[in-house]
Amino acid sequence: MKATVNKSTCIGCELCPSVCPEVFAMGDDGLAYTIVDEIPTDAQATAQESADSCPVDAIAIQ
């Protein structure tokens, strides 16, 4: 599984790295980004929770 963050949609609320720091971090631009190419198996549930909780639906899990 992979996660992507749409930077043009992201509002920098910091929810995703607070829920799943194994996959997401905040950049110097104040927007979220992914820090792994593949979501680790033990982080798949929290990565999905981050996507489901994103207030602007900027995260895609594939």
Side-chain angles (χ1 to χ4, degrees), residues 12-61:
C13 72
E14 300 186 21
L15 179 74
C16 55
S18 70
V19 172
C20 190
E22 302 87 357
V23 176
F24 303 100
M26 297 304 292
D28 292 337
D29 58 1
L31 302 176
Y33 68 98
T34 58
I35 57 173
V36 295
D37 289 329
E38 291 284 329
I39 301 170
T41 302
D42 61 341
Q44 289 180 357
T46 53
Q48 186 63 56
E49 181 182 345
S50 294
D52 294 343
S53 301
C54 180
V56 293
D57 295 323
I59 300 170
I61 304 290

